[in-house]
């Protein structure tokens, strides 16, 4: 998709969202099925993913790890956002790599130490790009990718999360 095609696709959406702000509010959903062997199956847009315990918490290592999936979602969202931003501002991005990595202290999630946090302590997002863009264009690309990446912004400024339990 080139710059003009992207703009042609997005222009009517942007106009509608300006005229009808509520039209831009869409609820995304994910659903899982709790299964045997301490697993939960998640239906993605393209495949069924069975998540289970990470080996550091006693899992066999044969299931997807939810922590890995979070990092994968960040890398995917940041990569798509960067590609869209590059297309939109006219930066020739021939390709590249997006890497998301995070540090976990599994003592927290296993309840071994109350001082150890449950969840990621640090997350790093790195790009290696194949481009001839100037330093100024790269700075713009990074700034706009950070600004418009949904997963990145959700991690940076977490929303309120409500949990319910039904029988």
């Amino acid at each position: 998709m080139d710059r003009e095609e992207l703009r042609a696709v997005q222009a009517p959406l942007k106009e509608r969202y300006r005229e009808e702000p509520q039209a831009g509010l869409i609820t995304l959903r994910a659903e899982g099925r709790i299964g045997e062997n301490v697993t939960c199956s998640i239906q993605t847009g393209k495949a069924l993913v069975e998540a289970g315990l990470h080996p550091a918490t006693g899992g066999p290592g044969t299931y997807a790890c939810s922590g890995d999936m979070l990092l994968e979602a960040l890398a995917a969202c940041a990569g798509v956002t960067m590609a869209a931003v590059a297309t939109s501002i006219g930066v020739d991005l021939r390709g590249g790599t997006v890497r998301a990595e995070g540090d976990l202290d599994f003592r927290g999630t296993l309840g071994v130490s109350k001082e150890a946090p449950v969840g990621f302590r640090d997350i790093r997002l790195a790009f290696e790009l194949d481009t001839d863009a100037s330093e100024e264009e790269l700075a713009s690309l990074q700034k706009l990718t950070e600004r418009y990446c949904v997963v990145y912004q959700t991690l940076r400024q977490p929303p309120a999360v409500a949990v319910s339990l039904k029988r």
Side-chain angles (χ1 to χ4, degrees), residues 4 11 34 48 50-51 53 63 65 68-69 71 75 86-87 103 108 127 152 160:
E4 294 310 312
I34 298 172
L48 183 69
E50 194 168 24
L53 291 172
Y63 301 110
C65 166
D68 289 334
M69 292 168 67
L71 295 174
T87 300
D103 303 322
F127 297 89
Y152 176 83

Side-chain angles (χ1 to χ4, degrees), residues 1 21 26-27 39 46 52 81 88 112 115 120 127 130 135 139 145 148 154-156 159 165:
M1 179 177 294
I26 297 170
T27 301
T39 63
K46 298 291 180 189
T81 302
S88 182
V112 172
E115 288 76 42
F120 285 99
F127 297 89
D130 181 8
E135 290 303 315
T145 297
Y148 294 117
T154 301
L155 291 170
R156 296 273 306 163
L165 178 65

